[in-house]
Amino acid sequence: MPPNRWIHFILLFSRQGKLRLQKWYTTLPEKEKKKIVREIVQIVLSRNQKTSSFVDWKDLKLVYKRYASLYFCCAIEDQDNELLTLEVVHRYVELLDRYFGNVWNILFFCQVCELDIIFNFEKAYFILDEFIIGGEVQDTSKRSAVKAMEDSDMLQETVEEYMNKPAF
């Protein structure tokens, strides 16, 4: 594993323990990934809400935060900065909120809706990939990430329009 890898994986899961999104920046067999997910979900969900959001786990550190009904969990190296990781998680939530921002988010201040992730998981992955590549933050600018999301949507709409035109 490269020594400069910061985030090993990111998991989003519900309060009920359902995995909603996972992004791995280390190569592991699927069986091992499933085992890790089960273990981490159990650890995080069993913790009291008033305890620290940092957990020493094996040779890594888990950093997690709950937003609405979703937990965002990252695994980082033991010596990496937990507070910076929380900022990265928060920035990802802000980007999701900016993209999916709907009336419910505004009314209830619940920054990310689980249904947005469920029904638009490909967009959630796209946003994550615009922000983090290979376990490293690529661009902290919300403006450039939002621009990339808007450009992607515009391209998708253009392709759909083109495909729906009758061919003569």
Side-chain angles (χ1 to χ4, degrees):
M1 177 176 324
N4 64 347
R5 175 140 309 135
W6 177 25
I7 298 173
H8 290 265
F9 55 85
I10 298 173
L11 305 174
L12 272 66
F13 52 91
S14 69
R15 290 185 298 182
Q16 293 76 32
K18 294 208 182 251
L19 187 64
R20 298 301 183 197
L21 182 141
Q22 61 180 328
K23 187 72 174 185
W24 297 83
Y25 301 107
T26 56
T27 306
L28 295 170
E30 285 301 313
K31 191 174 184 180
E32 182 70 18
K33 288 179 184 178
K34 288 180 182 180
K35 181 181 173 194
I36 289 170
V37 168
R38 274 194 311 270
E39 185 177 343
I40 289 174
V41 167
Q42 180 185 8
I43 289 169
V44 171
L45 291 179
S46 67
R47 291 175 57 88
N48 186 333
Q49 283 188 324
K50 296 184 183 201
T51 59
S52 168
S53 294
F54 314 130
V55 179
D56 289 324
W57 177 75
K58 298 188 179 184
D59 59 339
L60 298 174
K61 195 176 300 177
L62 301 176
V63 177
Y64 68 92
K65 178 92 171 121
R66 181 177 155 198
Y67 288 91
S69 63
L70 286 173
Y71 284 90
F72 291 71
C73 181
C74 296
I76 61 172
E77 290 291 327
D78 200 31
Q79 70 275 6
D80 285 335
N81 188 330
E82 305 95 343
L83 296 177
L84 187 59
T85 306
L86 280 177
E87 280 297 316
V88 167
V89 167
H90 187 71
R91 178 55 54 101
Y92 181 50
V93 169
E94 288 177 327
L95 290 170
L96 290 170
D97 191 37
R98 169 95 41 107
Y99 185 78
F100 295 121
N102 58 37
V103 175
W104 293 109
N105 291 356
I106 295 165
L107 290 176
F108 298 110
F109 307 105
C110 65
Q111 295 162 329
V112 176
C113 179
E114 187 175 350
L115 292 175
D116 290 330
I117 303 295
I118 292 169
F119 293 116
N120 300 293
F121 66 90
E122 69 283 346
K123 290 294 183 187
Y125 277 109
F126 177 80
I127 295 167
L128 185 60
D129 289 341
E130 281 297 314
F131 183 46
I132 299 173
I133 297 176
E136 294 286 326
V137 174
Q138 293 307 302
D139 193 354
T140 58
S141 167
K142 278 191 267 187
R143 183 174 290 135
S144 65
V146 168
K147 173 89 170 89
M149 294 181 302
E150 290 169 350
D151 290 348
S152 172
D153 286 347
M154 178 103 51
L155 179 62
Q156 185 175 357
E157 289 172 16
T158 304
V159 168
E160 287 172 1
E161 286 175 16
Y162 178 77
M163 298 302 284
N164 290 333
K165 286 186 179 181
F168 293 100

